[in-house]
Amino acid sequence: MLYVPEDHSVDKPAMLVVMLHGAGGNARQGLGMLQDVAETEGFLLMTPESRAPSWDLIMGDYGQDVAFLDQALDQVFSRYAVDPERVVLAGFSDGASYALSLGIINGDLFKHIVAFSPGFAAPRDSHGAPRLFVSHGDKDGVLPVARCSRRIVPQLEAAGLEVRYHEFKGGHVVPPEIVGEAIDWLNAAGGR
C-alpha cells in the first residue's frame, strides 16, 4: 500500500517512509500506524506486506520479500518525487528487526532506519552510514528489552553506527509520543 499526501508535488521531492509490519501483520497495520503523521508531515508512506507470515529473513534467509520490496520501490520512484536523501526504512517488532538488518545492508539507499521494538539485527555487511532510531518498551512481554534492544543497540554502536535509543515505560506497542519523537528525529536529521 502507498499513501500519498494531498499536497504532494513533483516539484518538491518528499521523504519516503517504508514501514514494515510485525509477524502475522499486514500492510494496513503499518499504514494505520503512520498515515495521519504522513499527511501532517507531508511524506510518502509505503507499507509493503511480507510474502509469508513474517519477513523472509525471520523465516530463514533473504529472498522473495527483498524482490517484492525492490519492485515496489521501483514503482514509487518512477511515479512520485522522492528525495533520495530522505528514504527511511522503518518497522515494528519483526518488521523492526528486518528494517535494521536490511536497512544496514542497504544504508546507501536507506539513510535513516526507525526500529520500534526490534528482536534482533542481523546485517551480513553494511553500505553507507545510516542513522538509527530504536525504541523499546521496558515491559515488553513479546520481545523483552533486556534480551533485545539492550543488546542490539550497543552492538550497533560498536559497529560505528549512530543510534538514538529511547526506552519507554510500556509493553510491545508504539505509543503516539514515540512516533512523534521518531518524526522529530527524522526532521532534525534533514528528514523534512
Side-chain angles (χ1 to χ4, degrees), residues 73-123:
L73 285 167
D74 283 346
Q75 287 182 10
V76 172
F77 291 143
S78 69
R79 295 179 182 163
Y80 299 94
V82 176
D83 183 341
E85 294 301 312
R86 299 185 301 154
V87 180
V88 180
L89 188 58
F92 170 64
S93 192
D94 278 1
S97 300
Y98 200 63
L100 285 172
S101 302
L102 189 62
I104 292 168
I105 291 171
N106 294 284
D108 48 350
L109 171 63
F110 300 110
K111 309 294 187 196
H112 308 283
I113 301 167
V114 176
F116 300 117
S117 305
F120 65 89

Side-chain angles (χ1 to χ4, degrees), residues 28-133:
R28 285 204 184 284
Q29 290 170 328
L31 188 65
M33 189 178 295
L34 297 179
Q35 182 176 343
D36 290 344
V37 178
E39 181 61 40
T40 303
E41 296 290 326
F43 62 82
L44 299 163
L45 174 60
M46 185 173 91
T47 61
E49 197 164 292
S50 61
R51 308 292 83 196
S54 195
W55 302 98
D56 50 16
L57 178 62
I58 285 90
M59 309 302 277
D61 201 359
Y62 294 108
Q64 60 186 357
D65 287 331
V66 172
F68 178 72
L69 280 168
D70 284 344
Q71 291 173 344
L73 285 167
D74 283 346
Q75 287 182 10
V76 172
F77 291 143
S78 69
R79 295 179 182 163
Y80 299 94
V82 176
D83 183 341
E85 294 301 312
R86 299 185 301 154
V87 180
V88 180
L89 188 58
F92 170 64
S93 192
D94 278 1
S97 300
Y98 200 63
L100 285 172
S101 302
L102 189 62
I104 292 168
I105 291 171
N106 294 284
D108 48 350
L109 171 63
F110 300 110
K111 309 294 187 196
H112 308 283
I113 301 167
V114 176
F116 300 117
S117 305
F120 65 89
R124 293 191 178 143
D125 56 14
S126 64
H127 294 280
R131 298 176 70 247
L132 312 171
F133 178 94

Side-chain angles (χ1 to χ4, degrees), residues 15 41 43 86 131 180-192:
M15 178 168 66
E41 296 290 326
F43 62 82
R86 299 185 301 154
R131 298 176 70 247
E181 183 180 339
I183 297 301
D184 289 346
W185 173 81
L186 286 168
N187 288 336
R192 186 172 199 166

